[in-house]
């Protein structure tokens, strides 16, 4: 006897036909269904009860294109601090996306192609989350994509910054950090390859010393200092003279070369100014300018000021003995 099919309350199986598949899903709530193409798809549902099939229920499903997050960086191994540019290469239907970048250094961005400063050394993860105009999103992350190496910190001291051939040594003291190699360019064609050094310039002039540092990561830094080396000037100040008009050692005079802006003042032991001159050719004849009378033999105090031809001021204070 033929079996009749009607609207029976008992259901013993389901038949769901998904486009792109060659078989039915015989489950009440199928999971993990994957569509192989974007666009509008129709889902067909039949209920099988006692060998009888229900009417087919049709439901449309719109499958949208999944965006694909992707990017590159202008550099991946750098020395700090470094500006790195990131270029978005993501693919999305319609090319309309929102962006959420994370750089692992506390910085983030919503720009399409951001440029980020990496100040501290370390290895940094970079991730890009994109959301398409259809609401679908995707993430691409590269662990430890950016490696930032420590840059040396160049610093040194060159003393003195002004000297003459009388005291020709220039003392170079290294004050740097994070460096394994050091070179000094002395500004005259010479190079020095030690962190600390004593250097003597063979000629006068103004020289710029350049410190160039490297480390094992290939990072470098530079620092500069300027020094001046002159011939110097000669000054001779006698300690005694005999103002007796015999033509020998009658004047207290300063002798030398390569100086200017000269002044000399002579005082007695009570601090009274006895003589002053602004010309090194005018020596003290042992007389007081107050009365033009010879001073008694004894010890007198002088203050002599002058300037080298390169503008460096000097002051000399001392005693001179008048011998009668």
């Amino acid at each position: 006897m033929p079996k009749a099919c009607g609207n029976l309350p008992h259901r013993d199986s389901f038949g769901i036909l998904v486009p792109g598949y060659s078989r039915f899903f015989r489950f009440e709530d199928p999971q993990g269904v994957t569509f192989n193409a974007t666009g509008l798809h129709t889902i067909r549902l039949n209920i099988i009860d006692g060998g009888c099939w229900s009417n087919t229920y049709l439901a449309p499903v719109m499958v949208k294109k999944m965006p694909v997050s992707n990017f590159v960086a202008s550099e991946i191994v750098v020395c700090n601090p470094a500006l790195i540019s990131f270029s978005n290469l993501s693919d999305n239907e319609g090319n309309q996306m929102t962006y959420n970048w994370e750089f692992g250094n506390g910085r983030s961005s919503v720009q399409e192609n951001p440029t980020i400063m990496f100040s501290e050394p370390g290895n940094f993860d970079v991730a890009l989350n994109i959301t398409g105009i259809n609401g679908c999103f995707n993430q691409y992350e590269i662990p430890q994509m950016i490696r930032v190496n420590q840059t040396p910190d160049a610093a040194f001291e060159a003393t003195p910054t002004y000297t003459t051939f009388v005291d020709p040594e220039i003392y170079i003291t290294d004050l740097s950090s994070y460096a394994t190699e050091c070179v000094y360019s002395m500004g005259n064609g010479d190079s020095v390859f030690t962190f600390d050094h004593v250097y003597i310039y063979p000629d006068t002039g103004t020289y710029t010393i350049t410190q160039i540092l490297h480390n094992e990561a290939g990072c470098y830094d530079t620092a500069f200092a300027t020094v001046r080396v002159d011939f110097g000037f000669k000054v001779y100040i006698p300690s005694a003279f005999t103002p007796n008009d015999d033509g020998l050692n009658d004047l207290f005079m300063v002798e030398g070369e390569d100086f200017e802006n000269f002044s000399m003042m002579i005082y007695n032991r009570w601090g009274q100014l006895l003589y002053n001159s602004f010309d090194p050719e005018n020596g003290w004849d042992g007389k007081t300018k107050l009365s033009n009378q010879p001073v008694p033999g004894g010890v007198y105090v002088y203050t002599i000021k002058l300037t080298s031809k390169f503008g460096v001021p000097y002051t000399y204070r001392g005693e001179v003995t008048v011998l009668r």
Side-chain angles (χ1 to χ4, degrees):
M1 181 176 182
K3 188 173 186 179
C5 296
N7 294 325
L8 301 177
H10 175 72
R11 299 169 181 174
D12 56 11
S13 66
F14 294 81
I16 299 178
L17 178 63
V18 178
Y21 288 81
S22 60
R23 64 184 179 86
F24 289 101
F25 285 87
R26 296 183 180 277
F27 307 100
E28 181 175 358
D29 298 307
Q31 305 292 321
V33 178
T34 302
F35 293 89
N36 294 328
T38 61
L40 183 64
H41 299 268
T42 301
I43 306 299
R44 306 169 66 91
L45 171 63
N46 294 97
I47 300 173
I48 304 172
D49 186 1
C52 298
W53 285 64
S54 70
N55 295 330
T56 300
Y57 176 78
L58 303 178
V61 173
M62 176 60 72
V63 178
K64 301 176 181 179
K65 183 178 180 180
M66 174 68 73
V68 179
S69 177
N70 193 16
F71 60 89
V72 294
S74 59
E75 298 177 272
I76 59 174
V77 180
V78 295
C79 302
N80 72 311
L83 276 174
I84 300 180
S85 298
F86 295 87
S87 299
N88 168 55
L89 301 179
S90 301
D91 180 40
N92 183 59
E93 188 175 32
N95 294 322
Q96 297 186 34
M97 292 175 278
T98 59
Y99 307 91
N100 185 8
W101 295 80
E102 298 291 339
F103 301 101
N105 62 348
R107 300 286 304 278
S108 61
S109 177
V110 294
Q111 297 179 356
E112 180 178 358
N113 300 296
T115 297
I116 301 300
M117 172 66 75
F118 288 81
S119 300
E120 300 299 325
N123 297 315
F124 301 95
D125 305 338
V126 180
L128 172 59
N129 294 275
I130 62 170
T131 303
I133 194 172
N134 54 24
C136 299
F137 68 92
N138 185 237
Q139 182 192 64
Y140 179 47
E141 181 178 10
I142 303 179
Q144 299 187 0
M145 179 186 188
I146 304 299
R147 178 180 178 181
V148 181
N149 294 312
Q150 176 67 59
T151 298
D153 185 10
F156 72 99
E157 184 178 51
T159 55
T161 57
Y162 174 83
T163 191
T164 67
F165 281 159
V166 178
D167 298 303
E169 294 84 2
I170 302 293
Y171 294 86
I172 299 176
T173 304
D174 174 57
L175 303 174
S176 68
S177 54
Y178 308 116
T180 56
E181 298 179 17
C182 177
V183 178
Y184 292 97
S185 174
M186 302 306 297
N188 63 345
D190 284 354
S191 296
V192 173
F193 296 90
T194 58
F195 282 87
D196 299 302
H197 192 75
V198 179
Y199 187 82
I200 297 176
Y201 282 97
D203 200 0
T204 61
T206 299
Y207 303 96
T208 297
I209 304 173
T210 304
Q211 182 190 55
I212 307 171
L213 299 179
H214 291 83
N215 61 20
E216 295 175 347
C219 301
Y220 73 94
D221 192 26
T222 56
F224 307 90
T226 300
V227 298
R228 171 80 187 180
V229 180
D230 291 328
F231 283 114
F233 62 94
K234 299 177 181 178
V235 175
Y236 171 71
I237 303 175
S239 59
F241 72 111
T242 56
N244 55 12
D245 296 326
D246 63 355
L248 298 175
N249 200 26
D250 288 328
L251 298 176
F252 174 64
M253 297 184 64
V254 176
E255 297 182 358
E257 59 185 32
D258 295 330
F259 63 81
E260 54 191 20
N261 299 324
F262 174 86
S263 69
M264 178 175 67
M265 290 167 284
I266 308 295
Y267 302 89
N268 61 20
R269 60 181 178 177
W270 295 283
Q272 293 177 307
L273 180 63
L274 303 180
Y275 177 82
N276 68 298
S277 172
F278 297 95
D279 185 348
E281 298 298 325
N282 294 331
W284 182 40
D285 59 2
K287 297 180 180 178
T288 173
K289 70 173 185 176
L290 301 177
S291 61
N292 200 31
Q293 296 297 315
V295 299
V299 177
Y300 296 85
V301 178
Y302 64 80
T303 297
I304 298 170
K305 296 182 179 181
L306 50 84
T307 304
S308 74
K309 67 177 182 179
F310 300 105
V312 180
Y314 293 87
T315 298
Y316 301 90
R317 292 183 174 89
E319 296 179 344
V320 58
T321 300
V322 175
L323 300 176
R324 294 290 185 183

